[in-house]
Amino acid sequence: MSRSTEGLKAAGEWHILKGLLPTFENKSVLDLGCGYGWHCRYAIEQGASAVIGIDISAKMLKQARALTNSDAITYLQMPIEDIDFAKGQFDMVISSLAFHYIEAFDAVCEKIFDVLTKGGSFVFSVEHPIFTSRAAQDWHYGEGGERLHWAVDDYHSEGLRQTTFLGEDVVKYHRTVASYLNTLIGVGFTIKAVQESYPSEDMLEDMKDELRRPMFLQIAVEK
Amino acid sequence: MSRSTEGLKAAGEWHILKGLLPTFENKSVLDLGCGYGWHCRYAIEQGASAVIGIDISAKMLKQARALTNSDAITYLQMPIEDIDFAKGQFDMVISSLAFHYIEAFDAVCEKIFDVLTKGGSFVFSVEHPIFTSRAAQDWHYGEGGERLHWAVDDYHSEGLRQTTFLGEDVVKYHRTVASYLNTLIGVGFTIKAVQESYPSEDMLEDMKDELRRPMFLQIAVEK
């Protein structure tokens, strides 16, 4: 996972999945793209019995382990696409801002469906398709540098987006809202809730432009 | 219903709900905002046993009746919000490009849920929230008049949008994608499919800008 993700995760606690999450009590949880392990630790604090966190970045997992003081959390370094667990091993799968870096969302969804117990929950966030559609992924600015509106283009052209974040090249994959939902439904999930991010009230002063377009899409489904 | 709707309906056959519709065979169908009755007649052609078409426009219903040659279709003039049918009276409720003119989508959804039989289908299209978010509802143009990108703003500010279409004032109500979906789920529906409109291949030559942003949102749910 790139450093851009670190930046987003650090900047983006307000996007967090809390509002969509079922109770963690006594649940076995899988966190895909766990980064520094924030959600892993949160799950344990909320009563999860065991958590496995997956990330491709050895550097982020090293930091995650340093921040973690619980035997109930296991961190594994691998691409999300390579997960290979027992059928029905988990009660809950969570993922924060990882899937827009992954090309094969459908294949990953099938794996997630398999490793979830019947009635299990899958809750995740991605950068919103309104956000990922244009390679530029930016506001349209006026002559004085003011944000005039959010620019959308190429919405139906799914696939690779080569963009930059804090000066680094980042590769993302754009999918439409319909694609995310229909892939989940096609795999067999039931849609339970959809959120499009907006800042919490205490963040609103600094982030009022976040009311002008949704940066993140959050989806909760059930097997 | 305003003349702007006529214009959209005339221009928009390519958006049609066909792709999402279950079979009409022997179904009792309610069409909300039926306009000229295109979908009512289509339902009968596809084997529906009876169709009731609702529209607020006497003028459009007069034209609908003139175009219709079937005793199985009944047209009623009333606002969609005022429907009052028996519980479980219909096997299918359809609506094409009407609900973005309605403020109380949640109340209408509850009524639709009640009048549908168990297992019944509700399939509808609205102008896409990407399309309705800004009052201007337009592309951002370059100096030569070229369409540079689609402009999104005020996405999270749901409610009234006063706009114009072909020189006439039009009142619409903007809702987010999440609002549409969560309202349906909250009422008790199961999401079956979501589509974001794009032109069919035979229309692509004239409408290739429709690949740049979705104009319509189409949702199919089941009771």
Side-chain angles (χ1 to χ4, degrees):
Chain A
M1 200 162 291
S2 69
R3 272 172 62 188
S4 70
T5 312
E6 296 177 41
L8 275 172
K9 294 218 183 208
E13 290 301 358
W14 57 270
H15 79 273
I16 222 153
L17 298 172
K18 277 181 191 169
L20 293 176
L21 289 175
T23 172
F24 282 101
E25 201 71 37
N26 297 319
K27 299 261 174 80
S28 174
V29 178
L30 175 64
D31 182 359
L32 298 175
C34 65
Y36 293 144
W38 193 98
H39 289 95
C40 298
R41 293 186 295 277
Y42 179 77
I44 291 296
E45 285 164 18
Q46 298 296 312
S49 56
V51 181
I52 295 179
I54 302 287
D55 208 284
I56 199 170
S57 161
K59 185 183 144 216
M60 294 188 90
L61 290 180
K62 185 177 175 187
Q63 180 72 1
R65 289 189 183 101
L67 291 166
T68 298
N69 183 22
S70 166
D71 292 341
I73 302 177
T74 306
Y75 294 107
L76 300 176
Q77 191 200 349
M78 66 172 77
I80 290 173
E81 297 91 324
D82 291 356
I83 59 164
D84 182 21
F85 296 102
K87 280 185 189 293
Q89 179 172 345
F90 300 99
D91 304 304
M92 197 184 307
V93 175
I94 60 177
S95 178
S96 173
L97 300 179
F99 293 136
H100 51 270
Y101 297 112
I102 285 181
E103 189 169 10
F105 180 66
D106 49 353
V108 169
C109 278
E110 284 175 19
K111 286 192 173 191
I112 292 168
F113 190 84
D114 283 345
V115 303
L116 270 174
T117 184
K118 176 79 181 158
S121 300
F122 171 34
V123 185
F124 68 96
S125 63
V126 287
E127 289 183 9
H128 197 290
I130 291 180
F131 189 86
T132 58
S133 69
R134 265 172 92 232
Q137 302 184 351
D138 203 354
W139 298 89
H140 177 67
Y141 296 93
E143 287 180 8
E146 70 278 21
R147 294 170 168 181
L148 294 180
H149 56 249
W150 184 258
V152 169
D153 210 340
D154 303 321
Y155 185 82
H156 279 302
S157 304
E158 298 192 306
L160 197 66
R161 295 292 186 277
Q162 290 187 295
T163 178
T164 56
F165 187 79
L166 302 178
E168 277 194 44
D169 291 335
V170 182
V171 168
K172 298 178 185 177
Y173 295 91
H174 168 69
R175 276 175 286 270
T176 67
V177 173
S179 270
Y180 278 114
L181 292 167
N182 293 333
T183 299
L184 292 160
I185 293 167
V187 165
F189 285 114
T190 301
I191 309 293
K192 301 298 286 182
V194 176
Q195 282 187 12
E196 296 169 294
S197 62
Y198 50 88
S200 59
E201 278 192 23
D202 55 320
M203 304 292 277
L204 201 51
E205 190 60 32
D206 298 329
M207 306 187 94
K208 59 184 189 303
D209 282 348
E210 297 306 317
L211 295 174
R212 301 174 65 185
R213 61 95 178 87
M215 188 169 182
F216 303 126
L217 174 68
Q218 301 152 318
I219 302 178
V221 300
E222 190 177 290
K223 178 173 176 177
Chain B
M1 200 162 290
S2 70
R3 275 172 61 189
S4 72
T5 312
E6 296 179 40
L8 274 173
K9 293 219 184 208
E13 291 299 359
W14 58 269
H15 80 273
I16 222 152
L17 298 172
K18 275 181 192 170
L20 291 177
L21 290 174
T23 171
F24 282 101
E25 201 71 37
N26 297 318
K27 298 262 172 80
S28 173
V29 178
L30 175 64
D31 182 357
L32 298 174
C34 65
Y36 294 144
W38 192 98
H39 289 94
C40 297
R41 293 186 295 278
Y42 179 77
I44 292 296
E45 285 165 19
Q46 299 296 312
S49 55
V51 181
I52 295 179
I54 302 286
D55 208 284
I56 198 170
S57 163
K59 184 182 146 219
M60 294 188 90
L61 289 181
K62 185 178 175 184
Q63 180 71 1
R65 289 189 183 101
L67 290 167
T68 297
N69 182 22
S70 166
D71 292 339
I73 302 178
T74 307
Y75 293 107
L76 300 176
Q77 190 200 349
M78 67 171 77
I80 290 172
E81 297 92 324
D82 291 356
I83 59 164
D84 182 21
F85 296 102
K87 280 185 188 292
Q89 180 173 344
F90 300 100
D91 305 303
M92 196 184 308
V93 175
I94 60 177
S95 178
S96 172
L97 300 178
F99 292 135
H100 52 271
Y101 297 112
I102 285 181
E103 190 169 10
F105 180 66
D106 48 353
V108 169
C109 278
E110 284 174 19
K111 286 192 173 192
I112 293 167
F113 191 84
D114 284 345
V115 303
L116 270 175
T117 187
K118 176 78 181 159
S121 300
F122 172 34
V123 185
F124 68 96
S125 63
V126 287
E127 288 182 12
H128 197 290
I130 291 180
F131 189 85
T132 58
S133 71
R134 266 172 92 233
Q137 304 184 350
D138 203 355
W139 298 90
H140 177 68
Y141 296 94
E143 288 179 8
E146 71 279 20
R147 295 171 167 180
L148 293 180
H149 56 250
W150 183 257
V152 169
D153 210 339
D154 302 321
Y155 185 82
H156 278 302
S157 304
E158 298 192 306
L160 197 67
R161 294 294 188 274
Q162 291 186 294
T163 178
T164 57
F165 186 78
L166 302 178
E168 277 193 45
D169 291 335
V170 183
V171 167
K172 299 177 186 178
Y173 295 91
H174 168 69
R175 277 175 286 269
T176 67
V177 173
S179 270
Y180 279 114
L181 293 167
N182 293 333
T183 298
L184 293 160
I185 294 167
V187 165
F189 285 114
T190 302
I191 310 292
K192 300 298 287 183
V194 176
Q195 281 187 12
E196 296 169 295
S197 62
Y198 49 87
S200 58
E201 276 191 26
D202 54 322
M203 306 290 280
L204 201 51
E205 189 62 32
D206 298 328
M207 308 187 92
K208 58 184 187 305
D209 281 348
E210 297 306 316
L211 295 174
R212 301 173 66 185
R213 60 97 179 86
M215 188 169 183
F216 304 126
L217 174 67
Q218 301 151 319
I219 302 179
V221 301
E222 189 178 291
K223 177 171 177 178

